[in-house]
Amino acid sequence: MSFDNITDVPGVKVGHQQDLDALTGCTVILTEEGATAGVDVRGSAPGTRETDLLDPINTVDQVHAICLSGGSAFGLDAASGVTNYLEEKGIGLDVHVAKVPIVPSAILFDLAIGDAKVRPNQQMGYEATQKAASGIFKQGNVGAGAGATVGKVLGFEHAMKSGLGSAAVELDNGLSVGAVVAVNAFGDIRDPKTGEIIAGALKPEDGSIVDSESFIINQAESFGQVGQNTTIGVIAVNASLSKAEAKKVSQITQNAIGRTVHPAHTMFDGDTIFTVATGKERYSLDVIGSLATQVMEEAIIRAVKEAETIQSIKAYE
């Protein structure tokens, strides 16, 4: 097995645009030929667009891109820029009078750092889509991860910098599974292999990392605000999946958040995972789900380890 990035999956391109002064940005996962998609929303404070389309009982079963964005609810506007670009290229669902690009989106909250008045907009989404390509791309302080932080149990002023991460794996039988994720969790991030907390809330007295789970269990007072966090990501697989199967892969992949983010899926997070399927071959759903969980775990760890200290927000060293 090897861990590279989500564009190793055939039919998938990735583009980013960001403003590192304002600390915000967006990432576009482009599937120009269309991909069957599903989604699972596990956190209690999500911000999303077009996710109802992905319900297996609904008609549309192909997406042309997924947009991950900062900017809280304002950042959903970036997906319109993706839609505009794809329409110009003639990519979308053919409804006879037009081709309508299907671009589900999810956002994270990064307004508390950088410049809250600057958010990903249509122009940023358009530019990110223009840049979408296969091959190696920068991780960390890029795209939707530009303003991502983790460890908010003591407030944003004690959080650590996180970012965007990606990983992929290919089996000898030709199955490829990849993940990309922007990690903006309320809790801290632990390496599941060692149990070590690699990023989280920093104690003001000595700069050590707080164990957020222990803190909230022992804390009688309020310790967070709804809607100011979230881990959002995409799984891509070169398999044939139904919408229901794609949703199931997304559900299984949430285990990766449970293994790396502590606590996970809180009332303050809007954790959302999409799955896009670009292939024609059938593979075991359990194998796909297991691999998806592995690559998402690796992508989450990379999002933290590739992030860089910026504007006095400390990153992993």
Side-chain angles (χ1 to χ4, degrees), residues 85-146:
Y85 178 88
L86 293 178
E87 183 185 25
E88 288 178 8
K89 299 298 181 182
I91 297 170
L93 174 68
D94 191 347
V95 294
H96 304 298
V97 294
K99 288 191 176 180
V100 181
I102 306 300
V103 185
S105 178
I107 50 85
L108 56 81
F109 183 93
D110 55 12
L111 302 180
I113 62 173
D115 186 345
K117 295 187 180 300
V118 177
R119 306 98 177 214
N121 55 17
Q122 290 190 33
Q123 180 180 351
M124 190 176 281
Y126 188 99
E127 291 171 353
T129 315
Q130 277 185 312
K131 293 181 176 181
S134 55
I136 297 171
F137 57 82
K138 179 177 170 58
Q139 301 184 37
N141 298 6
V142 65

Side-chain angles (χ1 to χ4, degrees), residues 148-167:
T149 53
V150 296
K152 266 63 77 73
V153 74
L154 299 180
F156 277 93
E157 63 271 27
H158 301 294
M160 285 183 66
K161 188 73 183 74
S162 181
L164 181 128
S166 187

Side-chain angles (χ1 to χ4, degrees), residues 98-270:
K99 288 191 176 180
V100 181
I102 306 300
V103 185
S105 178
I107 50 85
L108 56 81
F109 183 93
D110 55 12
L111 302 180
I113 62 173
D115 186 345
K117 295 187 180 300
V118 177
R119 306 98 177 214
N121 55 17
Q122 290 190 33
Q123 180 180 351
M124 190 176 281
Y126 188 99
E127 291 171 353
T129 315
Q130 277 185 312
K131 293 181 176 181
S134 55
I136 297 171
F137 57 82
K138 179 177 170 58
Q139 301 184 37
N141 298 6
V142 65
T149 53
V150 296
K152 266 63 77 73
V153 74
L154 299 180
F156 277 93
E157 63 271 27
H158 301 294
M160 285 183 66
K161 188 73 183 74
S162 181
L164 181 128
S166 187
V169 61
E170 182 177 2
L171 300 187
D172 291 340
N173 64 1
L175 175 63
S176 293
V177 183
V180 65
V181 62
V183 181
N184 192 58
F186 170 78
D188 36 60
I189 308 300
R190 301 188 192 192
D191 186 331
K193 297 183 178 67
T194 65
E196 176 192 5
I197 301 176
I198 61 173
L202 299 174
K203 295 180 182 178
E205 57 268 25
D206 61 9
S208 62
I209 300 176
V210 175
D211 182 327
S212 295
E213 279 190 319
S214 296
F215 180 89
I216 65 172
I217 289 170
N218 294 300
Q219 176 75 323
E221 301 175 2
S222 175
F223 49 79
Q225 290 185 292
V226 172
Q228 294 192 355
N229 310 282
T230 286
T231 297
I232 51 177
V234 178
I235 290 293
V237 56
N238 68 333
S240 172
L241 297 178
S242 66
K243 287 172 69 176
E245 289 169 332
K247 181 178 179 67
K248 189 61 183 179
V249 171
S250 293
Q251 290 178 336
I252 294 170
T253 306
Q254 293 277 9
N255 290 329
I257 295 178
R259 293 173 187 172
T260 55
V261 180
H262 298 262
H265 311 314
T266 73
M267 299 302 292
F268 313 112
D269 290 283

Side-chain angles (χ1 to χ4, degrees), residues 37-70:
V39 66
D40 183 68
V41 180
R42 196 66 57 92
S44 295
T48 59
R49 164 176 160 160
E50 300 250 63
T51 50
D52 281 352
L53 278 176
L54 305 184
D55 189 309
I57 68 171
N58 292 331
T59 303
V60 174
D61 63 358
Q62 294 277 299
V63 304
H64 305 98
I66 304 288
C67 183
L68 307 179
S69 180

